[in-house]
Amino acid sequence: MSKKRKKRTKWLKNFKFNKRSNRYINPYVGGFFLGLLIIVALYFSGEGLGSSGGYRDVAVAVLDKVTPEYAHNNSYIGPRLASGESPLKTWLVFELIGVIMGAILSAAIFNRLHLRIGKAPHLTDKKRLLFAVIGGILWGIGTQLGRGCTSGLVLSGMAVNSLSGYIGLIGIFGFGFIFAIIFKSIWIKTNK
Amino acid sequence: MGPLYPQEIINSEFNILIGLFIGVVFGFLLEASGFTNTRKLAGVFYGYDATVIKVFFTAAMTAAIGLLIMHYLGWIDVKLTFYPKTFWIPTLVGGAIMGAGFIIGGFCPGTSLCAAATGKIDAVVFIGGVFLGIFGFIFTYDSLFSGLRMSGKMGETDIAQWLGISDGLFIFIMIIVTFASFFVFQKWQDSHTKDMDQRDLNELGLKKPE
Amino acid sequence: MKTNLKEKIVFALMLIGGIAVIFLPDYKKHPKVMKPTMLLEELNKKERYVTTDELAKALMIKDPSIILIDVRSKEDYNHFTLDGAINVPMEDLLKEDYLGYLDQDVYKTVLFSNGTSLADEAWMIMKSHDYQGNYVLKGGLNKWFKTIIDPEKPGETADLADREVYEFRRGASMFFTGVSAGGVGSSGAAPKKAKAAPKPMVKRKKKEVSGGCG
């Protein structure tokens, strides 16, 4: 076996069998490749990386299946169904399918595919799930009102110097720091 | 010259295939950077983990530099791409709501999808919440949100031109800000990690400052 | 702060890139020329035409989205033009000063000349540069006079629709000239009032992309 091959297996071993530590790629390197990916997405498809748009498309498709009449008459989603094309056959939905595949791939390589609840140790599971659903609802409303989420609105917006992206940045992270003080007990154990 | 799909240089099937591929890389990078770990995400707001800031700003600035250069070389016309229209009031209000959701829920939509895919139960619940929120928004759009969502309309506004400076100068200033924030957040993180339990450090994938 | 080699490379690239971009020009729309086949296709579409009746109706209700563009020469424009029209002679069509009027998606810009052909040419030149939001006044000023300012009375045998059109035109004529139809001579030009020109719009992209999010 060549020396190079040996080196590679050793590298894999480090990730695969070292169960005690979570190993992540260098954040700056990850960010750099993420930046290149934004450029690729804009170059080929003219789309920014996004998530909430795909969520909305799925929600629209569900409503179209369940109550087609209501969906077509709704002034928010009706226009999206006007063309007659399936709302699921969009770039964003396929991108999200890809995201699922990519995440599983990475987690498999780095040995992170476990069923578990992620939370701060002091928080009970029940509370964590309750907070997760509340947070989700807020995101659902916020993304539709603000026209996008952290990736589609802020990241892709900042990439093209759009004012909207920077307002989103101030909104999400600026207010995030304020809310962080209010909800500190969710993440940090306080001695009471 | 890009963007290819909006100019109908590639067909929609191929475009969607590219979307799938981009999604795979996107998901991989998010997971590999640790964005499925909700404690890492929340860590940026409490200072014990600067990963989000590092990844996020490096990505945004890399893309901003690359796109301006490519636009100059005529490889891509950024004005033909997804260029967000600015509606500043709903974006600010929506952003604040999302900020609250970030702290309470511990994810954003993209990261929750990665986390759910890799077996985080809280992320599955979070996604359920997102759909509840979207349905709620759709049902109450006319009575509650339509006026607000359309207010503060500014069109496709470029922040540099809005500030009255050149695009390149703005990006340069942002890079200085980025480097400064890396420095500050790293210091903040170090101040936490230096007396953190080894168990917590392992879970966050961090090391003690040397 | 300790950094390893990978980080140093990323930082160096960002710094070099950041300095390099200072010297680059701003984001601006690239000039784009349409393929001749696509242009022909566009030319065969009739949607670009606005009839004199439609225009009269829009002007009477003071539709704020309408901009009138006179593509004739400066002399002709000074001699006579429609109320509120902006003069953009053919040779100035692609000048950047007029971009805000001629390439946007907010207003309906109606081009006119004496007949149809000059305005149509102007429309085609702009279309070949992918300008948006432009229309052509069918028949031009000649038709405007014939139908709106000095409408022809339909014969006794004319059907109801024709009479209605005539009634409308007579009303329009009074609106634009202040004189009842029939009493207007060939010089019945509307007095040129100074009307605040609409604000030029800066904008555009052609194919809507669905948008990353939201």
Side-chain angles (χ1 to χ4, degrees):
Chain A
M1 202 184 264
S2 71
K3 211 175 165 188
K4 206 175 171 190
R5 175 70 63 81
K6 231 180 222 163
K7 204 176 164 195
R8 192 178 296 157
T9 40
K10 196 177 160 203
W11 176 86
L12 259 177
K13 243 183 206 160
N14 269 344
F15 286 119
K16 254 207 133 94
F17 304 111
N18 189 354
K19 283 203 172 170
R20 283 182 309 131
S21 81
N22 262 330
R23 306 218 22 184
Y24 298 112
I25 59 171
N26 184 300
Y28 300 111
V29 176
F32 180 72
F33 283 110
L34 203 53
L36 295 184
L37 189 69
I38 296 171
I39 297 177
V40 172
L42 284 170
Y43 180 80
F44 281 98
S45 307
E47 296 272 8
L49 302 177
S51 325
S52 59
Y55 279 72
R56 182 209 50 222
D57 289 339
V58 173
V60 169
V62 169
L63 277 185
D64 189 30
K65 262 265 165 320
V66 179
T67 60
E69 203 161 308
Y70 176 83
H72 278 267
N73 289 329
N74 183 284
S75 57
Y76 185 56
I77 62 169
R80 296 183 185 282
L81 293 164
S83 72
E85 283 236 5
S86 164
L88 289 179
K89 210 194 148 204
T90 58
W91 192 90
L92 286 165
V93 171
F94 276 79
E95 182 221 25
L96 286 193
I97 296 170
V99 166
I100 295 172
M101 290 159 53
I104 293 175
L105 182 69
S106 166
I109 290 175
F110 295 102
N111 194 30
R112 281 197 286 267
L113 273 175
H114 308 294
L115 213 58
R116 56 173 294 223
I117 294 176
K119 61 179 183 61
H122 68 276
L123 203 72
T124 61
D125 284 356
K126 219 178 179 179
K127 268 193 181 159
R128 168 66 187 132
L129 296 184
L130 178 69
F131 287 136
V133 83
I134 294 171
I137 291 170
L138 290 171
W139 272 103
I141 297 166
T143 51
Q144 301 312 305
L145 189 60
R147 294 179 168 73
C149 58
T150 341
S151 37
L153 170 72
V154 184
L155 191 56
S156 305
M158 283 169 76
V160 294
N161 263 7
S162 125
L163 178 61
S164 189
Y166 280 91
I167 293 174
L169 177 77
I170 294 167
I172 296 175
F173 286 96
F175 282 95
F177 278 101
I178 296 170
F179 287 114
I181 300 166
I182 302 169
F183 297 104
K184 194 171 178 185
S185 63
I186 300 179
W187 301 103
I188 307 285
K189 194 175 176 184
T190 43
N191 299 316
K192 256 189 219 162
Chain B
M1 192 190 88
L4 301 185
Y5 176 63
Q7 300 183 92
E8 292 170 26
I9 295 169
I10 54 176
N11 65 31
S12 78
E13 274 71 29
F14 187 54
N15 182 45
I16 278 180
L17 205 66
I18 287 174
L20 188 73
F21 169 75
I22 286 171
V24 170
V25 183
F26 188 27
F28 188 97
L29 287 174
L30 285 179
E31 209 290 333
S33 302
F35 280 25
T36 55
N37 186 333
T38 181
R39 284 187 80 192
K40 280 182 88 66
L41 296 176
V44 66
F45 294 104
Y46 298 102
Y48 62 79
D49 193 326
T51 308
V52 171
I53 288 284
K54 292 176 185 170
V55 175
F56 199 83
F57 273 89
T58 311
M61 289 305 117
T62 304
I65 294 168
L67 286 169
L68 191 61
I69 293 175
M70 284 171 73
H71 188 88
Y72 169 70
L73 296 174
W75 295 354
I76 184 169
D77 188 345
V78 166
K79 295 283 174 193
L80 290 179
T81 64
F82 147 74
Y83 197 93
K85 292 188 176 72
T86 301
F87 292 75
W88 74 271
I89 298 169
T91 300
L92 196 62
V93 175
I97 295 172
M98 289 185 254
F102 209 152
I103 296 296
I104 298 171
F107 285 114
C108 64
T111 54
S112 68
L113 194 61
C114 293
T118 57
K120 307 286 196 301
I121 298 157
D122 49 322
V124 178
V125 173
F126 179 95
I127 291 174
V130 175
F131 279 113
L132 283 179
I134 294 176
F135 283 130
F137 185 89
I138 293 171
F139 292 139
T140 56
Y141 180 68
D142 284 322
S143 51
L144 221 60
F145 293 113
S146 59
L148 180 59
R149 190 171 190 272
M150 288 303 170
S151 58
K153 183 177 176 173
M154 295 170 76
E156 294 176 0
T157 309
D158 178 299
I159 187 166
Q161 282 155 30
W162 183 70
L163 291 170
I165 57 176
S166 80
D167 281 302
L169 182 63
F170 179 78
I171 292 172
F172 177 74
I173 293 169
M174 276 312 295
I175 283 168
I176 302 298
V177 172
T178 298
F179 283 151
S181 69
F182 287 167
F183 183 77
V184 170
F185 275 84
Q186 182 70 52
K187 281 266 172 274
W188 198 13
Q189 175 184 313
D190 288 348
S191 75
H192 281 87
T193 48
K194 77 175 183 325
D195 26 56
M196 205 183 246
D197 292 351
Q198 192 56 44
R199 212 178 54 123
D200 284 338
L201 285 173
N202 285 345
E203 205 202 319
L204 295 169
L206 299 174
K207 287 196 193 85
K208 275 191 196 293
E210 289 155 40
Chain C
M1 191 160 53
K2 225 179 143 264
T3 53
N4 63 27
L5 181 66
K6 278 184 270 183
E7 293 178 359
K8 276 183 191 140
I9 293 171
V10 172
F11 291 156
L13 281 173
M14 282 171 73
L15 195 62
I16 295 166
I19 293 168
V21 293
I22 298 177
F23 303 102
L24 295 187
D26 281 347
Y27 279 126
K28 229 192 274 167
K29 195 188 179 189
H30 289 297
K32 203 159 128 280
V33 177
M34 249 187 169
K35 288 195 206 96
T37 46
M38 283 165 77
L39 192 60
L40 263 177
E41 214 172 276
E42 286 290 333
L43 203 62
N44 285 330
K45 291 184 188 156
K46 297 293 173 211
E47 287 104 65
R48 69 176 178 283
Y49 289 123
V50 173
T51 67
T52 47
D53 288 324
E54 284 164 359
L55 181 65
K57 214 171 270 175
L59 291 179
M60 283 162 76
I61 62 163
K62 301 212 158 44
D63 185 340
S65 67
I66 298 274
I67 299 180
L68 293 169
I69 301 282
D70 188 342
V71 297
R72 301 170 308 159
S73 66
K74 189 117 191 96
E75 293 83 64
D76 285 348
Y77 173 80
N78 286 336
H79 182 65
F80 168 75
T81 192
L82 291 176
D83 195 11
I86 299 161
N87 184 219
V88 183
M90 284 294 268
E91 57 270 23
D92 295 343
L93 267 186
L94 300 176
K95 278 198 182 155
E96 231 175 80
D97 317 6
Y98 300 114
L99 256 180
Y101 295 119
L102 300 178
D103 183 21
Q104 35 72 37
D105 55 4
V106 177
Y107 299 119
K108 255 183 152 180
T109 309
V110 180
L111 310 170
F112 66 88
S113 55
N114 285 331
T116 310
S117 57
L118 190 67
D120 233 6
E121 273 169 38
W123 183 87
M124 198 166 84
I125 290 170
M126 293 197 288
K127 193 77 202 173
S128 72
H129 285 74
D130 203 33
Y131 283 20
Q132 303 288 316
N134 296 310
Y135 296 82
V136 173
L137 179 63
K138 182 117 187 143
L141 283 175
N142 291 336
K143 184 97 181 274
W144 177 260
F145 270 96
K146 234 188 259 156
T147 56
I148 304 298
I149 303 301
D150 198 5
E152 194 184 327
K153 200 170 175 186
E156 292 299 324
T157 53
D159 61 19
L160 194 65
D162 280 347
R163 281 163 204 255
E164 269 174 12
V165 169
Y166 176 69
E167 283 307 314
F168 164 73
R169 287 175 175 176
R170 236 169 45 130
S173 174
M174 268 160 78
F175 177 84
F176 289 111
T177 60
V179 190
S180 69
V184 184
S186 56
S187 67
K192 211 163 41 168
K193 270 177 277 170
K195 174 182 155 192
K199 211 171 125 231
M201 298 303 293
V202 189
K203 85 97 250 178
R204 72 331 282 347
K205 122 173 99 201
K206 24 175 326 229
K207 183 161 178 153
E208 270 306 313
V209 224
S210 64
C213 258

